[in-house]
Amino acid sequence: MTAPLRLSLDTNALCDNWRALDRLSGPAACGAAVKADGYGLGARGVVERLAQTGARDFFVANWNEAAAIADLVNDPAIGLSVLHGVRAEDMPLAGQGFARPVLSTCDQVQRWRSAGGGPCDVMVDTGMNRLGVSTEDVAQGLLKGIAIDTIMSHLARADEDVVANAIQRDRMEALRGMTGARRMSLANSAGIVLGAEYAFDLTRPGLALYGGVPRDALAGVVRQVVTPQAQILQRRLLAAGDSIGYNARYTATQAVEVAILNIGYADGYWRGFSNSGHGSVGGARLPVLGRVSMDLTAISVDALPTLAEGDWVTLDFALPGASAQSGMSQYELLTGLGARFDRIWS
Ligand SMILES: *Cc1c(COP(=O)(O)O)cnc(C)c1O
């Protein structure tokens, strides 16, 4: 059954974004972070397309996510890495060999080594203080005797111009040659445009693949992939003085034609778009009126007298602007996109 709301997903934009990030990565390979169901787009649709375009390294957060795309990455030239490493209860799945754990604690290293230690990746903490073994532990031989494909670290502030980036980069550089790892990897989307010395052997963009712009240098380089569309459930006329929606956060100062759309914050069209977002049909701009509800959003349709029940409206979701309007990060806007959409790739 077709859903009453849809996410229109642009294959060419996704693949062009990957190609642009691959070029910006210089001689380094360019992978793809597809955790959180491909940042809300649907991991399977993303992986199929990017594998066909040439991406050879994919990253998910946990083993459930890995198992859900395992059949799409069974080409031996394609690698899948599980960023949260491996818990004791993950070992049966991890032992199947369709993905590599990114080991990030001494316990995980121990667990992997005592199980026989197939190919793995290792996360080293260079200053974010989130996941990763310490550079001291690496220097003292923690990783001896395990087969490391990629040693990686993660930048905490790649979207800012701060000296912390260079410090993390230098700590990464100091690990060169210390572990027998085949490759080194540091940069996320924003890190790719910090400079060639951040690329190492493999980059790991997520946000920018999906049209997000974490640094100005990526504006005009990547383009929007995701467009939510919703259907009109009802059209009504507000008289001057009438207000609309929960808590009456919009009151008409003159007569206004309104359409009620079947989308709301349960779909990831956040309450921050109340009185600030807009829809569009054929170039006409249709401002959101009042508060976004769980399942419903009102827009002004004064500009379009013939727009009727059942017609589709496109919600403006251009990520940098939508982030400013809603107060949500570009990451939250993408990963919040709900389960009620049909995800339709063009
Ligand atoms: C999510 C993630 C990425 C991708 O980051 P973006 O900012 O979305 O490009 C890369 N590496 C790691 C370890 C991550 O967790």
Side-chain angles (χ1 to χ4, degrees):
M1 213 170 63
T2 58
L5 61 171
R6 60 193 182 206
L7 269 190
S8 167
L9 300 166
D10 185 335
T11 296
N12 288 336
L14 175 75
C15 297
D16 286 350
N17 289 348
W18 182 80
R19 287 189 197 97
L21 294 161
D22 186 39
R23 267 194 305 279
L24 287 169
S25 300
C30 181
V34 297
K35 59 198 183 186
D37 203 20
Y39 285 50
L41 279 67
R44 293 186 62 83
V46 170
V47 170
E48 273 171 349
R49 285 165 178 78
L50 292 183
Q52 207 161 36
T53 308
R56 291 293 170 264
D57 297 275
F58 293 93
F59 301 88
V60 292
N62 65 42
W63 288 92
N64 283 6
E65 292 186 331
I69 57 170
D71 60 308
L72 301 178
V73 296
N74 57 14
D75 177 340
I78 298 184
L80 176 59
S81 299
V82 180
L83 291 163
H84 291 187
V86 64
R87 305 170 303 165
E89 53 269 54
D90 296 323
M91 288 303 286
L93 261 186
Q96 292 178 20
F98 59 82
R100 298 190 302 269
V102 183
L103 307 175
S104 64
T105 69
C106 296
D107 280 358
Q108 289 185 4
V109 171
Q110 215 41 58
R111 181 175 296 126
W112 195 245
R113 183 187 280 120
S114 50
C120 64
D121 300 327
V122 173
M123 177 68 72
V124 180
D125 177 48
T126 55
M128 188 174 195
N129 283 306
R130 203 175 59 169
L131 293 181
V133 299
S134 71
T135 54
E136 291 80 9
D137 284 340
V138 174
Q140 285 164 20
L142 171 71
L143 304 176
K144 282 223 173 69
I146 58 171
I148 305 174
D149 183 290
T150 303
I151 189 148
M152 63 183 82
S153 192
H154 193 46
L155 295 165
R157 305 178 69 180
D159 55 348
E160 301 177 86
D161 293 311
V162 289
V163 70
N165 291 321
I167 292 171
Q168 284 199 266
R169 191 261 160 210
D170 290 348
R171 287 183 184 149
M172 188 71 184
E173 181 59 43
L175 294 170
R176 194 182 286 282
M178 272 178 61
T179 64
R182 188 169 76 85
R183 301 185 294 183
M184 303 178 81
S185 173
L186 178 64
N188 62 348
S189 300
I192 289 172
V193 287
L194 284 179
E197 68 277 21
Y198 287 81
F200 290 91
D201 304 306
L202 169 66
T203 60
R204 309 186 305 266
L207 183 72
L209 288 172
Y210 311 113
V213 182
R215 292 189 66 93
D216 288 346
L218 287 166
V221 174
V222 297
R223 63 183 202 271
Q224 185 79 7
V225 179
V226 183
T227 308
Q229 296 172 324
Q231 252 176 326
I232 294 174
L233 290 172
Q234 184 165 16
R235 188 177 167 121
R236 63 171 61 247
L237 175 63
L238 261 56
D242 285 350
S243 49
I244 190 165
Y246 283 122
N247 309 110
R249 291 305 160 93
Y250 173 82
T251 300
T253 53
Q254 56 188 43
V256 58
E257 293 274 351
V258 172
I260 311 301
L261 303 179
N262 59 6
I263 189 171
Y265 59 76
D267 303 299
Y269 195 69
W270 301 113
R271 231 168 64 133
F273 288 110
S274 301
N275 281 318
S276 77
H278 65 269
S280 69
V281 173
R285 199 169 187 277
L286 311 172
V288 171
L289 302 180
R291 198 160 252 185
V292 173
S293 323
M294 185 185 296
D295 318 300
L296 298 168
T297 298
I299 55 169
S300 164
V301 289
D302 257 349
L304 296 173
T306 62
L307 207 62
E309 264 178 60
D311 286 346
W312 288 87
V313 173
T314 294
L315 279 311
D316 176 49
F317 212 66
L319 288 166
S323 171
Q325 278 170 2
S326 64
M328 306 295 278
S329 73
Q330 297 177 63
Y331 295 87
E332 291 167 293
L333 290 176
L334 288 171
T335 59
L337 291 166
R340 294 195 289 201
F341 290 101
D342 274 343
R343 285 165 165 77
I344 298 172
W345 288 93
S346 61

